[in-house]
Amino acid sequence: MTMAFKYQVAMSLTPRDVLLVTLNHIDAIQSFVAESPVISGHVDNVYQLLITNYGKLSIGEFQLIRQTLLNFFQDMHIRVSIFLKDKVQNSNGRFAISTAGMVPYGSEPPGIIR
């Protein structure tokens, strides 16, 4: 779970995506506890608190949170079989970052010559 979170934070296109990743994980927790109304209510409360407290942060504040999280996870290189199988992770536990794909909004792919 830790490496999945690290991967999602590292691959986020914008700093605000950190909140979306977190809310996505809260949704997963909600699906696990759906049969318990008391716990489900607590998870709903956490969801609302996250939106209330973090929904109004600036891009700079989200970037600081993202950078702090990535610094925390920097030396964690736990190999995950599904990541290894899909070639998302190298055999040493480091992520294989692809240079193909989407770039953040407002930026251009590297290597463009004008």
Side-chain angles (χ1 to χ4, degrees), residues 51-65:
I51 291 172
T52 302
N53 291 322
Y54 294 99
K56 298 175 186 170
L57 294 182
S58 69
I59 296 295
E61 290 168 317
F62 273 116
Q63 179 59 29
L64 181 62
I65 292 170

Side-chain angles (χ1 to χ4, degrees), residues 1-12 16-34 39-40 42-44 46-48 50-51 69 73 83 95:
M1 177 92 125
T2 303
M3 294 304 285
F5 183 73
K6 177 182 177 181
Y7 182 72
Q8 288 176 329
V9 170
M11 294 293 108
S12 60
R16 194 173 300 273
D17 287 349
V18 172
L19 179 61
L20 298 177
V21 167
T22 305
L23 294 176
N24 185 32
H25 284 256
I26 297 295
D27 285 339
I29 292 169
Q30 183 67 275
S31 68
F32 293 140
V33 299
I39 297 173
S40 183
H42 291 310
V43 174
D44 282 337
V46 168
Y47 194 93
Q48 291 304 317
L50 282 168
I51 291 172
L69 287 168
F73 290 119
F83 286 162
F95 288 116

Side-chain angles (χ1 to χ4, degrees), residues 52-114:
T52 302
N53 291 322
Y54 294 99
K56 298 175 186 170
L57 294 182
S58 69
I59 296 295
E61 290 168 317
F62 273 116
Q63 179 59 29
L64 181 62
I65 292 170
R66 181 177 182 267
Q67 190 63 41
T68 303
L69 287 168
L70 290 174
N71 283 339
F72 176 77
F73 290 119
Q74 180 176 354
D75 295 327
M76 238 178 252
H77 305 294
I78 302 165
R79 291 181 305 233
V80 178
S81 60
I82 195 161
F83 286 162
L84 292 167
K85 186 183 86 169
D86 291 343
K87 304 271 191 250
V88 172
Q89 203 175 27
N90 297 325
S91 61
N92 63 3
R94 296 182 186 273
F95 288 116
I97 308 297
S98 173
T99 56
M102 296 179 58
V103 296
Y105 176 77
S107 62
E108 298 176 0
I112 294 177
I113 301 173
R114 291 186 208 169

